Amino acid sequence: MQKIRKAPVDESPKQREAEADLTPAQAIAAHLREGDYAGATRHYFSLDTREQRLSINSDVALALGEYLLGTRAYDEAQTIFRRFISERPNDREIDRAYLGAGKAMIHQPRHITSAYQYFLSAVETARSKDLEDEARMHLRGIEQMGEKKRE
C-alpha cells in the first residue's frame, strides 16, 4: 500500500490574519504550542529590531537556537546565540548562549578558536554543574584535536 504524503501548506489567509494581531512573543509561543519549531524560528528571524527580540523570553530564544543546532543549521543557530550574547549580556541564561555558540562554531573548522573562547565563557558563567561539565568536555576535545595535529 502506497502512503500518500501531503504537501506542505502555506498558512491560510485566516491564520496570517490571526497571527498579525499577536505580539511577536505571542506569535512565536503559538507556533511552539503547535510544536512548530520551524515556524517559530522563521518568525524569530523576521524580527527586525533589538526591542522585538528582547520581547521574546530568554528560554524561548535559546530553545530556538538549540532546535537549530539539532537540525544542523549551524549558521542560523550561531546567529541566535550571538544576538543573545550581544543583546542580553547580563541575562541569567547567558551560559547556555555561550555553550550554544561554541557548539555552532565547532562545526566550522576555521572557527575552532572562537568555539574554544565561547566554551571558556560558558565555564566562567555556568550556573549548573552539568553545563560546566559539557563545556569542559568540548574544551578537552578541542585541546585533543590540537595535540593530534602536532603529532
Side-chain angles (χ1 to χ4, degrees):
M1 179 180 234
Q2 185 178 7
K3 289 185 178 181
I4 299 174
R5 299 174 118 182
K6 291 185 178 180
V9 179
D10 286 336
E11 293 177 332
S12 70
K14 189 175 186 178
Q15 286 173 312
R16 283 193 299 271
E17 183 179 310
E19 195 170 281
D21 293 336
L22 302 176
T23 66
Q26 291 170 330
I28 289 171
H31 283 288
L32 293 176
R33 275 192 304 277
E34 297 293 321
D36 181 13
Y37 278 79
T41 302
R42 279 191 308 276
H43 197 85
Y44 177 86
F45 281 116
S46 74
L47 303 177
D48 295 323
T49 67
R50 179 177 194 259
E51 290 72 28
Q52 289 175 321
R53 289 187 296 274
L54 288 175
S55 74
I56 307 305
N57 180 289
S58 296
D59 284 332
V60 170
L62 292 169
L64 295 176
E66 290 160 356
Y67 159 78
L68 290 167
L69 281 176
T71 63
R72 298 181 177 188
Y74 302 119
D75 290 339
E76 292 84 356
Q78 181 65 15
T79 297
I80 288 180
F81 293 125
R82 289 176 81 174
R83 280 182 180 170
F84 190 98
I85 292 164
S86 171
E87 296 172 350
R88 304 174 193 226
N90 299 317
D91 195 282
R92 290 177 35 91
E93 300 292 329
I94 196 76
D95 55 345
R96 285 176 57 199
Y98 283 126
L99 181 66
K103 288 169 141 183
M105 293 298 278
I106 205 165
H107 293 282
Q108 302 171 15
R110 294 186 191 146
H111 296 97
I112 297 300
T113 302
S114 296
Y116 193 88
Q117 293 302 317
Y118 281 122
F119 291 133
L120 282 175
S121 294
V123 168
E124 291 171 3
T125 59
R127 294 183 312 113
S128 77
K129 180 80 169 113
D130 289 342
L131 190 138
E132 180 181 351
D133 289 347
E134 185 176 355
R136 287 188 187 282
M137 177 194 68
H138 288 292
L139 288 168
R140 281 191 300 276
I142 292 171
E143 290 164 358
Q144 289 171 352
M145 285 188 324
E147 290 170 8
K148 287 180 183 177
K149 284 184 179 181
R150 285 184 283 222
E151 292 177 355

